[in-house]
Amino acid sequence: MQYHISNWNHWEKRCADALRGNLPDPEVLTKLKFRYTCPAKKDGIYLPRWKWDSDFHAATYRHFDPEMAWEELQGLFVHQVAEGPDAGMLPHMAYFSENDDVNSQNLFRHPHRSILTQPALTAIVALAVHQKLPRPDILKAIYPKLAAYHDWFDRRRDPDNDRLAAIIHPWESGWDASQRWDQMLGITKDTPNPMELLLHKRVELVGTLFEHHCDAESLMHAEDGFYVEPADFNAIRAADLDALAEIAREIGKEQEEIDAFRTRAEGIRQAIQEKMITVNGENRLHVHDLVGADEQKNSPDSASKFVLLFGQCVNQEQAELLRGELNGNGSFFNTPYRIATMPTDNRLFDGREYWRGNVWLPINWLIFTGLRRYRFFKEAEELAKNSLDLVERSGFCEFFNPINGKRGQKFQKPCPQNQSWSTIVLDMLAECKESLG
Ligand code: GLC
């Protein structure tokens, strides 16, 4: 790790170049109130803004261009839903009209944005950016918007009032094509061309959302609906509510208002403990996503369970089990390149193909941060090193093969090489640099 730390300037430049190389074209930039960074510009696949990508971009920018980090975050609220039942929602994609993205406009039947969300990380990153470049004026301006976002989750995504928010489409999880959703989408180990069928199903599901007016309560009971309370999604949200409490404190809100966010975060943690965690005979922690109105626990094992560390949703003993499994001999997550998002013993594991077991650096970052929250500094540092080594070997790929460290593939074609969010390795490096000096 010392080697990477002593090369901080090199890493900072590489990350800055990768992010800046993905700024929208000048004619798009002139239409924007705040600049944002495309996930990947080459070949034009990822030109609009994606929500949690922008969160990760801001976490990286804060180290060398904190003004840009603030812009990236402020841009997230431009298309926050202003009225109607979904008021407060932050869309998972935006800026369709600026990019003439007719396909997305048609799919989501909206000129500017999608009708879905993605994991709630924005308060966490805003606080981190504020630590680098304090801007109480911006914090004050975005605070009610962040609060409205979290209120929206409670109002629209928790129809059974169990404090666990539901997603109504795999895209909302950020783990688009993962085996986690196979069963709900009718995919089995015998399905020919599962990737194509999965894509078809995801597109079809958007139509279903319109039929149900994106109403989670209705989707929860619908035969053709997708309704899942994912453990990692909720763990991230708990951490975001904590950060929101911290922002409220920072801008001088009353204690009662601050405490209310913490109570909500705690409620999520309790619900995760009560409903989502089991330990099997081999002392392997199983974390379940809950599916449908009857909350079936049928999710396959995945690296999403390690994200519970990020939300501080496990007790010390459970955290030790997770630590053991990440690093243990014979662990199905302890691949030559880490961390495989699906364990290698999953029957449909495919380290090359999109979300079927690849390494994704933003997921590594969530786990890295979680390990540090439990003071597993050595393991966190090791993971940061693994992540930097991967980039050194293969570049800022969108995702990597955990078996050979090579660039992954999407529908058998290589995935993008200069993916903005893979620069999140800089934030991991910065944290290690600070603790190791
Ligand atoms: C893919 C990923 C999603 C990400 C988006 C943009 O759809 O699955 O998590 O936000 O690409 O990078």
Side-chain angles (χ1 to χ4, degrees):
M1 196 59 193
Q2 277 302 345
Y3 158 77
H4 289 307
I5 292 176
S6 57
N7 276 312
W8 169 263
N9 291 344
H10 152 88
W11 279 111
E12 190 184 89
K13 182 172 181 328
R14 274 192 77 179
C15 292
D17 288 349
L19 282 170
R20 289 178 176 146
N22 281 331
L23 285 173
D25 286 341
E27 60 273 22
V28 175
L29 282 173
T30 55
K31 297 182 205 159
L32 305 176
K33 187 163 173 214
F34 301 107
R35 288 172 300 163
Y36 76 96
T37 312
C38 308
K41 247 178 109 178
K42 195 164 169 286
D43 303 332
I45 330 172
Y46 286 123
L47 295 183
R49 207 267 327 280
W50 264 263
K51 187 201 157 297
W52 77 330
D53 294 61
S54 278
D55 292 327
F56 289 111
H57 304 163
T60 301
Y61 272 123
R62 76 191 178 110
H63 296 289
F64 55 87
D65 189 351
E67 284 88 2
M68 179 60 197
W70 277 125
E71 274 197 61
E72 187 98 30
L73 288 182
Q74 285 170 284
L76 283 168
F77 299 99
V78 170
H79 292 299
Q80 182 167 32
V81 180
E83 54 195 20
D86 280 314
M89 188 191 80
L90 287 175
H92 97 297
M93 288 174 73
Y95 301 123
F96 297 156
S97 53
E98 290 80 352
N99 290 288
D100 298 325
D101 187 346
V102 178
N103 288 343
S104 300
Q105 287 177 326
N106 289 340
L107 180 63
F108 294 112
R109 305 183 198 171
H110 196 284
H112 307 302
R113 60 157 176 89
S114 79
I115 54 165
L116 302 165
T117 194
Q118 266 185 336
L121 275 176
T122 311
I124 296 167
V125 179
L127 202 58
V129 175
H130 186 70
Q131 277 150 9
K132 286 277 167 194
L133 177 66
R135 286 293 302 267
D137 55 326
I138 302 182
L139 269 194
K140 275 188 194 140
I142 65 175
Y143 170 74
K145 301 177 187 183
L146 286 167
Y149 183 41
H150 280 286
D151 290 348
W152 167 81
F153 274 114
D154 289 340
R155 199 178 68 242
R156 283 287 276 178
R157 293 304 183 84
D158 186 18
D160 58 359
N161 281 319
D162 66 352
R163 292 159 292 169
L164 297 168
I167 59 169
I168 55 175
H169 195 290
W171 280 331
E172 296 201 301
S173 69
W175 289 50
D176 302 4
S178 170
Q179 289 91 327
R180 290 171 72 185
W181 325 123
D182 278 5
Q183 189 186 333
M184 286 74 102
L185 300 179
I187 306 293
T188 69
K189 69 174 188 7
D190 304 317
T191 309
N193 297 326
M195 297 307 289
E196 261 145 63
L197 185 61
L198 276 168
L199 178 60
H200 170 79
K201 295 264 183 184
R202 288 197 296 277
V203 170
E204 194 179 63
L205 204 51
V206 177
T208 310
L209 293 180
F210 279 105
E211 280 161 34
H212 293 268
H213 309 285
C214 292
D215 180 50
E217 176 144 35
S218 158
L219 287 157
M220 170 186 200
H221 299 288
E223 286 255 307
D224 53 353
F226 180 98
Y227 180 96
V228 183
E229 295 169 347
D232 54 339
F233 191 92
N234 279 284
I236 294 171
R237 189 173 167 235
D240 207 53
L241 281 162
D242 282 340
L244 195 49
E246 207 37 51
I247 292 176
R249 198 189 55 73
E250 186 73 26
I251 61 173
K253 293 287 169 190
E254 298 285 327
Q255 194 60 39
E256 209 180 314
E257 195 166 326
I258 301 170
D259 290 345
F261 291 123
R262 295 205 202 282
T263 307
R264 281 157 83 185
E266 222 23 68
I268 296 173
R269 293 194 177 97
Q270 257 172 32
I272 289 178
Q273 274 294 328
E274 280 160 23
K275 294 183 158 194
M276 294 178 148
I277 301 178
T278 52
V279 179
N280 76 3
E282 313 141 36
N283 260 352
R284 194 169 170 185
L285 201 74
H286 276 270
V287 173
H288 308 278
D289 299 331
L290 306 178
V291 181
D294 52 357
E295 304 199 319
Q296 278 176 51
K297 292 183 178 135
N298 62 359
S299 43
D301 195 14
S302 80
S304 66
K305 66 183 176 190
F306 303 113
V307 176
L308 265 56
L309 297 166
F310 181 80
Q312 293 176 283
C313 298
V314 289
N315 61 33
Q316 202 57 36
E317 202 180 321
Q318 294 164 338
E320 292 291 350
L321 287 181
L322 289 176
R323 158 161 76 170
E325 197 172 349
L326 265 183
N327 298 287
N329 285 336
S331 154
F332 298 108
F333 290 101
N334 200 359
T335 45
Y337 296 85
R338 294 191 310 155
I339 294 172
T341 37
M342 298 304 289
T344 49
D345 65 338
N346 182 293
R347 279 190 302 178
L348 291 171
F349 172 86
D350 180 348
R352 287 160 309 178
E353 199 44 72
Y354 190 55
W355 281 114
R356 307 297 283 181
N358 338 107
V359 180
W360 291 73
L361 297 179
I363 306 297
N364 277 10
W365 179 88
L366 289 168
I367 300 171
F368 163 86
T369 310
L371 287 167
R372 288 175 60 88
R373 290 190 173 157
Y374 284 80
R375 311 188 64 75
F376 297 149
F377 295 116
K378 194 168 81 41
E379 290 77 6
E381 190 194 316
E382 190 58 32
L383 183 53
K385 184 178 175 305
N386 295 158
S387 306
L388 289 153
D389 288 348
L390 263 178
V391 176
E392 197 138 270
R393 179 190 164 88
S394 300
F396 292 107
C397 299
E398 184 185 14
F399 52 90
F400 304 81
N401 184 331
I403 308 301
N404 58 22
K406 290 190 182 156
R407 181 174 178 183
Q409 65 181 38
K410 211 181 238 174
F411 301 114
Q412 286 151 33
K413 293 207 187 92
C415 68
Q417 177 64 274
N418 260 327
Q419 190 81 7
S420 299
W421 71 0
S422 296
T423 61
I424 194 64
V425 290
L426 192 72
D427 196 59
M428 297 191 232
L429 181 60
E431 295 293 340
C432 295
K433 186 165 162 262
E434 215 162 277
S435 13
L436 296 175

